[in-house]
Amino acid sequence: MPPAYELAVAAVLLDMDGTLVDSTAVVEAVWGDFAATHGVDLEAVLRCSHGRRTIDTVTAFLPDPHQARDVAADIEADELVRLEGIIAIPGARDLLASLPDAHVAVVTSAERELAVRRLTAVGLSCPTVLVAAEDVEAGKPSPDGFLRAAAALGVSAEDCAAFGDAEAGLHAARAAGAFTVVVGWL
């Protein structure tokens, strides 16, 4: 059995996709459609998209801002209705149940409606503090989301532990000053 560790923090900041919810099948299908439609390399899109807002990924491949906004809106609408195959990450339910709501936030690159739908679809409670894509001017790897979540909880980001699986989110959490924990699962 691995050793147990204790970490004293004022609050916990959690990424959603890949940390609480496994949405890999849906994400890969949606970005696969995007890559095929726009003639871009799917592997490059997937490398770019992990942990980032939809608009930021689309803009990386479609430089016309008007086209990028329209395409991102279409992708986000498509994701809202694709919930089949999404599952809770093992241990996510127990983790959320063990944390007092006043000391936990979700910081996600997903739009708020999508985040709530995904959490609800897999039977996870949605913390009161949820910082979504539309709540920040700059998405991950900018620290804005983590700073906003910590402030909403009434604590400093330096007094928080941030859990995430994506490089962009981990960079964002570190830039905010949070103690970061890399989530990986089998």
Side-chain angles (χ1 to χ4, degrees), residues 80-157:
L80 286 173
V81 297
R82 289 193 191 199
L83 298 174
E84 190 169 324
I86 294 175
I87 61 170
I89 298 289
R93 190 169 285 101
D94 292 338
L95 174 65
L96 284 172
S98 74
L99 299 170
D101 189 61
H103 299 282
V104 64
V106 168
V107 181
T108 180
S109 293
E111 293 287 324
R112 177 175 306 282
E113 184 178 2
L114 179 60
V116 171
R117 281 191 188 196
R118 284 186 176 167
L119 290 167
T120 303
V122 299
L124 296 177
S125 60
C126 186
T128 301
V129 176
L130 186 149
V131 177
E134 67 267 31
D135 297 326
V136 294
E137 190 171 320
K140 298 172 185 176
S142 165
D144 294 4
F146 289 99
L147 293 170
R148 184 177 179 122
L153 293 170
V155 299
S156 168

